[in-house]
PDB file of all heavy atoms in Angstrom:
ATOM      1  N   GLY T 980       0.782  -1.224   0.000  1.00  0.00           N
ATOM      2  CA  GLY T 980       0.000   0.000   0.000  1.00  0.00           C
ATOM      3  C   GLY T 980       0.816   1.278   0.000  1.00  0.00           C
ATOM      4  O   GLY T 980       0.256   2.370  -0.044  1.00  0.00           O
ATOM      5  N   GLU T 981       2.132   1.170   0.075  1.00  0.00           N
ATOM      6  CA  GLU T 981       2.959   2.376   0.062  1.00  0.00           C
ATOM      7  C   GLU T 981       3.196   2.842  -1.371  1.00  0.00           C
ATOM      8  O   GLU T 981       3.232   2.050  -2.306  1.00  0.00           O
ATOM      9  CB  GLU T 981       4.289   2.129   0.767  1.00  0.00           C
ATOM     10  CG  GLU T 981       4.124   1.970   2.262  1.00  0.00           C
ATOM     11  CD  GLU T 981       5.436   1.882   2.994  1.00  0.00           C
ATOM     12  OE1 GLU T 981       6.339   1.148   2.535  1.00  0.00           O
ATOM     13  OE2 GLU T 981       5.559   2.539   4.027  1.00  0.00           O
ATOM     14  N   ARG T 982       3.348   4.126  -1.514  1.00  0.00           N
ATOM     15  CA  ARG T 982       3.578   4.743  -2.825  1.00  0.00           C
ATOM     16  C   ARG T 982       5.072   4.987  -2.997  1.00  0.00           C
ATOM     17  O   ARG T 982       5.739   5.455  -2.078  1.00  0.00           O
ATOM     18  CB  ARG T 982       2.819   6.061  -2.898  1.00  0.00           C
ATOM     19  CG  ARG T 982       2.942   6.752  -4.214  1.00  0.00           C
ATOM     20  CD  ARG T 982       2.008   7.931  -4.266  1.00  0.00           C
ATOM     21  NE  ARG T 982       2.346   8.786  -5.375  1.00  0.00           N
ATOM     22  CZ  ARG T 982       1.805   9.957  -5.586  1.00  0.00           C
ATOM     23  NH1 ARG T 982       0.888  10.415  -4.757  1.00  0.00           N
ATOM     24  NH2 ARG T 982       2.160  10.684  -6.616  1.00  0.00           N
ATOM     25  N   VAL T 983       5.572   4.666  -4.178  1.00  0.00           N
ATOM     26  CA  VAL T 983       7.001   4.808  -4.471  1.00  0.00           C
ATOM     27  C   VAL T 983       7.173   5.722  -5.679  1.00  0.00           C
ATOM     28  O   VAL T 983       6.513   5.547  -6.698  1.00  0.00           O
ATOM     29  CB  VAL T 983       7.637   3.424  -4.778  1.00  0.00           C
ATOM     30  CG1 VAL T 983       9.118   3.577  -5.082  1.00  0.00           C
ATOM     31  CG2 VAL T 983       7.419   2.462  -3.624  1.00  0.00           C
ATOM     32  N   GLU T 984       8.063   6.711  -5.538  1.00  0.00           N
ATOM     33  CA  GLU T 984       8.412   7.599  -6.643  1.00  0.00           C
ATOM     34  C   GLU T 984       9.930   7.656  -6.751  1.00  0.00           C
ATOM     35  O   GLU T 984      10.625   7.675  -5.735  1.00  0.00           O
ATOM     36  CB  GLU T 984       7.887   9.016  -6.414  1.00  0.00           C
ATOM     37  CG  GLU T 984       6.394   9.155  -6.519  1.00  0.00           C
ATOM     38  CD  GLU T 984       5.937  10.598  -6.448  1.00  0.00           C
ATOM     39  OE1 GLU T 984       6.786  11.521  -6.439  1.00  0.00           O
ATOM     40  OE2 GLU T 984       4.712  10.811  -6.401  1.00  0.00           O
ATOM     41  N   HIS T 985      10.416   7.693  -7.985  1.00  0.00           N
ATOM     42  CA  HIS T 985      11.854   7.790  -8.246  1.00  0.00           C
ATOM     43  C   HIS T 985      12.109   9.085  -9.010  1.00  0.00           C
ATOM     44  O   HIS T 985      11.387   9.403  -9.950  1.00  0.00           O
ATOM     45  CB  HIS T 985      12.335   6.603  -9.083  1.00  0.00           C
ATOM     46  CG  HIS T 985      11.976   5.277  -8.495  1.00  0.00           C
ATOM     47  ND1 HIS T 985      12.718   4.689  -7.491  1.00  0.00           N
ATOM     48  CD2 HIS T 985      10.954   4.432  -8.754  1.00  0.00           C
ATOM     49  CE1 HIS T 985      12.166   3.530  -7.170  1.00  0.00           C
ATOM     50  NE2 HIS T 985      11.092   3.356  -7.919  1.00  0.00           N
ATOM     51  N   HIS T 986      13.146   9.818  -8.588  1.00  0.00           N
ATOM     52  CA  HIS T 986      13.480  11.097  -9.220  1.00  0.00           C
ATOM     53  C   HIS T 986      14.990  11.206  -9.374  1.00  0.00           C
ATOM     54  O   HIS T 986      15.738  10.672  -8.547  1.00  0.00           O
ATOM     55  CB  HIS T 986      12.997  12.268  -8.370  1.00  0.00           C
ATOM     56  CG  HIS T 986      11.528  12.252  -8.100  1.00  0.00           C
ATOM     57  ND1 HIS T 986      10.609  12.686  -9.015  1.00  0.00           N
ATOM     58  CD2 HIS T 986      10.820  11.828  -7.023  1.00  0.00           C
ATOM     59  CE1 HIS T 986       9.387  12.552  -8.518  1.00  0.00           C
ATOM     60  NE2 HIS T 986       9.488  12.020  -7.312  1.00  0.00           N
ATOM     61  N   SER T 987      15.421  11.934 -10.378  1.00  0.00           N
ATOM     62  CA  SER T 987      16.837  12.246 -10.490  1.00  0.00           C
ATOM     63  C   SER T 987      17.203  13.198  -9.361  1.00  0.00           C
ATOM     64  O   SER T 987      16.413  14.076  -9.004  1.00  0.00           O
ATOM     65  CB  SER T 987      17.139  12.906 -11.837  1.00  0.00           C
ATOM     66  OG  SER T 987      16.937  11.989 -12.880  1.00  0.00           O
ATOM     67  N   CYS T 988      18.390  12.992  -8.815  1.00  0.00           N
ATOM     68  CA  CYS T 988      18.856  13.848  -7.727  1.00  0.00           C
ATOM     69  C   CYS T 988      20.377  13.892  -7.796  1.00  0.00           C
ATOM     70  O   CYS T 988      21.028  12.848  -7.686  1.00  0.00           O
ATOM     71  CB  CYS T 988      18.395  13.297  -6.382  1.00  0.00           C
ATOM     72  SG  CYS T 988      18.882  14.306  -4.974  1.00  0.00           S
ATOM     73  N   GLY T 989      20.928  15.063  -7.977  1.00  0.00           N
ATOM     74  CA  GLY T 989      22.380  15.173  -8.089  1.00  0.00           C
ATOM     75  C   GLY T 989      22.888  14.284  -9.204  1.00  0.00           C
ATOM     76  O   GLY T 989      22.396  14.325 -10.321  1.00  0.00           O
ATOM     77  N   ASP T 990      23.856  13.425  -8.861  1.00  0.00           N
ATOM     78  CA  ASP T 990      24.429  12.507  -9.847  1.00  0.00           C
ATOM     79  C   ASP T 990      23.702  11.171  -9.897  1.00  0.00           C
ATOM     80  O   ASP T 990      24.110  10.277 -10.635  1.00  0.00           O
ATOM     81  CB  ASP T 990      25.904  12.231  -9.507  1.00  0.00           C
ATOM     82  CG  ASP T 990      26.749  13.487  -9.576  1.00  0.00           C
ATOM     83  OD1 ASP T 990      26.424  14.383 -10.372  1.00  0.00           O
ATOM     84  OD2 ASP T 990      27.738  13.579  -8.812  1.00  0.00           O
ATOM     85  N   GLY T 991      22.645  11.012  -9.111  1.00  0.00           N
ATOM     86  CA  GLY T 991      22.003   9.713  -9.019  1.00  0.00           C
ATOM     87  C   GLY T 991      20.496   9.758  -8.984  1.00  0.00           C
ATOM     88  O   GLY T 991      19.868  10.539  -9.694  1.00  0.00           O
ATOM     89  N   VAL T 992      19.927   8.926  -8.112  1.00  0.00           N
ATOM     90  CA  VAL T 992      18.488   8.717  -8.042  1.00  0.00           C
ATOM     91  C   VAL T 992      18.021   8.858  -6.589  1.00  0.00           C
ATOM     92  O   VAL T 992      18.680   8.370  -5.677  1.00  0.00           O
ATOM     93  CB  VAL T 992      18.120   7.299  -8.540  1.00  0.00           C
ATOM     94  CG1 VAL T 992      16.625   7.048  -8.442  1.00  0.00           C
ATOM     95  CG2 VAL T 992      18.608   7.074  -9.953  1.00  0.00           C
ATOM     96  N   LEU T 993      16.892   9.505  -6.413  1.00  0.00           N
ATOM     97  CA  LEU T 993      16.231   9.576  -5.113  1.00  0.00           C
ATOM     98  C   LEU T 993      14.943   8.772  -5.206  1.00  0.00           C
ATOM     99  O   LEU T 993      14.133   8.989  -6.102  1.00  0.00           O
ATOM    100  CB  LEU T 993      15.896  11.026  -4.748  1.00  0.00           C
ATOM    101  CG  LEU T 993      14.884  11.211  -3.608  1.00  0.00           C
ATOM    102  CD1 LEU T 993      15.417  10.626  -2.304  1.00  0.00           C
ATOM    103  CD2 LEU T 993      14.545  12.681  -3.454  1.00  0.00           C
ATOM    104  N   THR T 994      14.766   7.847  -4.283  1.00  0.00           N
ATOM    105  CA  THR T 994      13.514   7.100  -4.178  1.00  0.00           C
ATOM    106  C   THR T 994      12.791   7.604  -2.939  1.00  0.00           C
ATOM    107  O   THR T 994      13.365   7.628  -1.851  1.00  0.00           O
ATOM    108  CB  THR T 994      13.776   5.588  -4.056  1.00  0.00           C
ATOM    109  OG1 THR T 994      14.507   5.157  -5.204  1.00  0.00           O
ATOM    110  CG2 THR T 994      12.468   4.810  -3.959  1.00  0.00           C
ATOM    111  N   MET T 995      11.542   8.025  -3.133  1.00  0.00           N
ATOM    112  CA  MET T 995      10.712   8.498  -2.031  1.00  0.00           C
ATOM    113  C   MET T 995       9.606   7.479  -1.820  1.00  0.00           C
ATOM    114  O   MET T 995       8.917   7.100  -2.765  1.00  0.00           O
ATOM    115  CB  MET T 995      10.118   9.863  -2.372  1.00  0.00           C
ATOM    116  CG  MET T 995      11.180  10.911  -2.584  1.00  0.00           C
ATOM    117  SD  MET T 995      10.670  12.577  -3.123  1.00  0.00           S
ATOM    118  CE  MET T 995       8.940  12.624  -3.086  1.00  0.00           C
ATOM    119  N   ILE T 996       9.445   7.039  -0.576  1.00  0.00           N
ATOM    120  CA  ILE T 996       8.401   6.065  -0.242  1.00  0.00           C
ATOM    121  C   ILE T 996       7.501   6.693   0.814  1.00  0.00           C
ATOM    122  O   ILE T 996       7.986   7.271   1.789  1.00  0.00           O
ATOM    123  CB  ILE T 996       9.008   4.751   0.273  1.00  0.00           C
ATOM    124  CG1 ILE T 996       9.941   4.148  -0.795  1.00  0.00           C
ATOM    125  CG2 ILE T 996       7.909   3.770   0.660  1.00  0.00           C
ATOM    126  CD1 ILE T 996      10.694   2.924  -0.358  1.00  0.00           C
ATOM    127  N   ALA T 997       6.203   6.590   0.584  1.00  0.00           N
ATOM    128  CA  ALA T 997       5.244   7.175   1.515  1.00  0.00           C
ATOM    129  C   ALA T 997       4.077   6.228   1.725  1.00  0.00           C
ATOM    130  O   ALA T 997       3.735   5.432   0.857  1.00  0.00           O
ATOM    131  CB  ALA T 997       4.744   8.504   0.980  1.00  0.00           C
ATOM    132  N   MET T 998       3.471   6.341   2.899  1.00  0.00           N
ATOM    133  CA  MET T 998       2.298   5.532   3.202  1.00  0.00           C
ATOM    134  C   MET T 998       1.099   6.447   3.411  1.00  0.00           C
ATOM    135  O   MET T 998       1.250   7.556   3.903  1.00  0.00           O
ATOM    136  CB  MET T 998       2.537   4.657   4.431  1.00  0.00           C
ATOM    137  CG  MET T 998       2.699   5.424   5.713  1.00  0.00           C
ATOM    138  SD  MET T 998       3.109   4.389   7.144  1.00  0.00           S
ATOM    139  CE  MET T 998       1.915   3.110   7.023  1.00  0.00           C
ATOM    140  N   PRO T 999      -0.078   5.977   3.010  1.00  0.00           N
ATOM    141  CA  PRO T 999      -1.269   6.801   3.214  1.00  0.00           C
ATOM    142  C   PRO T 999      -1.581   6.924   4.706  1.00  0.00           C
ATOM    143  O   PRO T 999      -1.435   5.967   5.454  1.00  0.00           O
ATOM    144  CB  PRO T 999      -2.376   6.027   2.497  1.00  0.00           C
ATOM    145  CG  PRO T 999      -1.816   4.715   2.123  1.00  0.00           C
ATOM    146  CD  PRO T 999      -0.354   4.721   2.367  1.00  0.00           C
ATOM    147  N   MET T1000      -1.971   8.116   5.093  1.00  0.00           N
ATOM    148  CA  MET T1000      -2.378   8.323   6.478  1.00  0.00           C
ATOM    149  C   MET T1000      -3.860   8.005   6.588  1.00  0.00           C
ATOM    150  O   MET T1000      -4.646   8.349   5.713  1.00  0.00           O
ATOM    151  CB  MET T1000      -2.085   9.758   6.907  1.00  0.00           C
ATOM    152  CG  MET T1000      -0.589  10.043   6.929  1.00  0.00           C
ATOM    153  SD  MET T1000      -0.198  11.693   7.478  1.00  0.00           S
ATOM    154  CE  MET T1000      -0.632  11.588   9.192  1.00  0.00           C
ATOM    155  N   ARG T1001      -4.219   7.360   7.661  1.00  0.00           N
ATOM    156  CA  ARG T1001      -5.592   6.918   7.869  1.00  0.00           C
ATOM    157  C   ARG T1001      -6.574   8.090   7.823  1.00  0.00           C
ATOM    158  O   ARG T1001      -6.332   9.140   8.386  1.00  0.00           O
ATOM    159  CB  ARG T1001      -5.679   6.228   9.221  1.00  0.00           C
ATOM    160  CG  ARG T1001      -6.917   5.419   9.412  1.00  0.00           C
ATOM    161  CD  ARG T1001      -6.899   4.683  10.696  1.00  0.00           C
ATOM    162  NE  ARG T1001      -5.528   4.469  11.152  1.00  0.00           N
ATOM    163  CZ  ARG T1001      -5.182   3.806  12.209  1.00  0.00           C
ATOM    164  NH1 ARG T1001      -6.074   3.275  12.962  1.00  0.00           N
ATOM    165  NH2 ARG T1001      -3.925   3.653  12.552  1.00  0.00           N
ATOM    166  N   ASP T1002      -7.678   7.880   7.157  1.00  0.00           N
ATOM    167  CA  ASP T1002      -8.789   8.831   7.089  1.00  0.00           C
ATOM    168  C   ASP T1002      -8.449  10.160   6.429  1.00  0.00           C
ATOM    169  O   ASP T1002      -9.141  11.142   6.643  1.00  0.00           O
ATOM    170  CB  ASP T1002      -9.381   9.092   8.484  1.00  0.00           C
ATOM    171  CG  ASP T1002      -9.881   7.814   9.142  1.00  0.00           C
ATOM    172  OD1 ASP T1002     -10.353   6.923   8.408  1.00  0.00           O
ATOM    173  OD2 ASP T1002      -9.788   7.708  10.366  1.00  0.00           O
ATOM    174  N   THR T1003      -7.352  10.221   5.670  1.00  0.00           N
ATOM    175  CA  THR T1003      -7.023  11.438   4.919  1.00  0.00           C
ATOM    176  C   THR T1003      -6.461  11.025   3.565  1.00  0.00           C
ATOM    177  O   THR T1003      -6.192   9.858   3.325  1.00  0.00           O
ATOM    178  CB  THR T1003      -5.957  12.300   5.634  1.00  0.00           C
ATOM    179  OG1 THR T1003      -4.699  11.619   5.586  1.00  0.00           O
ATOM    180  CG2 THR T1003      -6.328  12.584   7.076  1.00  0.00           C
ATOM    181  N   GLU T1004      -6.296  12.001   2.713  1.00  0.00           N
ATOM    182  CA  GLU T1004      -5.662  11.740   1.414  1.00  0.00           C
ATOM    183  C   GLU T1004      -4.173  12.048   1.465  1.00  0.00           C
ATOM    184  O   GLU T1004      -3.480  11.929   0.470  1.00  0.00           O
ATOM    185  CB  GLU T1004      -6.343  12.577   0.333  1.00  0.00           C
ATOM    186  CG  GLU T1004      -7.768  12.143   0.073  1.00  0.00           C
ATOM    187  CD  GLU T1004      -8.414  12.912  -1.065  1.00  0.00           C
ATOM    188  OE1 GLU T1004      -7.683  13.453  -1.905  1.00  0.00           O
ATOM    189  OE2 GLU T1004      -9.640  12.959  -1.094  1.00  0.00           O
ATOM    190  N   THR T1005      -3.686  12.426   2.621  1.00  0.00           N
ATOM    191  CA  THR T1005      -2.284  12.783   2.787  1.00  0.00           C
ATOM    192  C   THR T1005      -1.418  11.536   2.856  1.00  0.00           C
ATOM    193  O   THR T1005      -1.822  10.513   3.384  1.00  0.00           O
ATOM    194  CB  THR T1005      -2.098  13.600   4.086  1.00  0.00           C
ATOM    195  OG1 THR T1005      -2.961  14.724   4.038  1.00  0.00           O
ATOM    196  CG2 THR T1005      -0.673  14.069   4.249  1.00  0.00           C
ATOM    197  N   MET T1006      -0.222  11.653   2.327  1.00  0.00           N
ATOM    198  CA  MET T1006       0.759  10.579   2.385  1.00  0.00           C
ATOM    199  C   MET T1006       1.850  10.998   3.373  1.00  0.00           C
ATOM    200  O   MET T1006       2.294  12.139   3.372  1.00  0.00           O
ATOM    201  CB  MET T1006       1.382  10.349   1.009  1.00  0.00           C
ATOM    202  CG  MET T1006       0.403  10.032  -0.101  1.00  0.00           C
ATOM    203  SD  MET T1006      -0.336   8.423   0.049  1.00  0.00           S
ATOM    204  CE  MET T1006       0.988   7.402  -0.529  1.00  0.00           C
ATOM    205  N   ARG T1007       2.280  10.059   4.232  1.00  0.00           N
ATOM    206  CA  ARG T1007       3.376  10.325   5.163  1.00  0.00           C
ATOM    207  C   ARG T1007       4.656   9.725   4.606  1.00  0.00           C
ATOM    208  O   ARG T1007       4.747   8.526   4.361  1.00  0.00           O
ATOM    209  CB  ARG T1007       3.091   9.739   6.543  1.00  0.00           C
ATOM    210  CG  ARG T1007       4.210  10.084   7.550  1.00  0.00           C
ATOM    211  CD  ARG T1007       3.922   9.596   8.945  1.00  0.00           C
ATOM    212  NE  ARG T1007       3.967   8.162   9.085  1.00  0.00           N
ATOM    213  CZ  ARG T1007       5.090   7.448   9.231  1.00  0.00           C
ATOM    214  NH1 ARG T1007       6.261   8.036   9.221  1.00  0.00           N
ATOM    215  NH2 ARG T1007       5.043   6.144   9.369  1.00  0.00           N
ATOM    216  N   LEU T1008       5.634  10.573   4.397  1.00  0.00           N
ATOM    217  CA  LEU T1008       6.927  10.151   3.874  1.00  0.00           C
ATOM    218  C   LEU T1008       7.625   9.256   4.884  1.00  0.00           C
ATOM    219  O   LEU T1008       7.795   9.626   6.040  1.00  0.00           O
ATOM    220  CB  LEU T1008       7.778  11.388   3.570  1.00  0.00           C
ATOM    221  CG  LEU T1008       9.095  11.201   2.869  1.00  0.00           C
ATOM    222  CD1 LEU T1008       8.894  10.558   1.508  1.00  0.00           C
ATOM    223  CD2 LEU T1008       9.786  12.538   2.705  1.00  0.00           C
ATOM    224  N   THR T1009       7.996   8.038   4.462  1.00  0.00           N
ATOM    225  CA  THR T1009       8.642   7.094   5.374  1.00  0.00           C
ATOM    226  C   THR T1009      10.123   6.884   5.063  1.00  0.00           C
ATOM    227  O   THR T1009      10.900   6.606   5.963  1.00  0.00           O
ATOM    228  CB  THR T1009       7.937   5.729   5.366  1.00  0.00           C
ATOM    229  OG1 THR T1009       7.985   5.184   4.043  1.00  0.00           O
ATOM    230  CG2 THR T1009       6.496   5.854   5.820  1.00  0.00           C
TER     231      THR T1009
END
């Protein structure tokens, strides 16, 4: 259920993983 996004960052890659917060549409970055 966690959301994963990959982005270029500096010379490499940044992976951001977040989980949905209960009862909201907000994602909490983990």
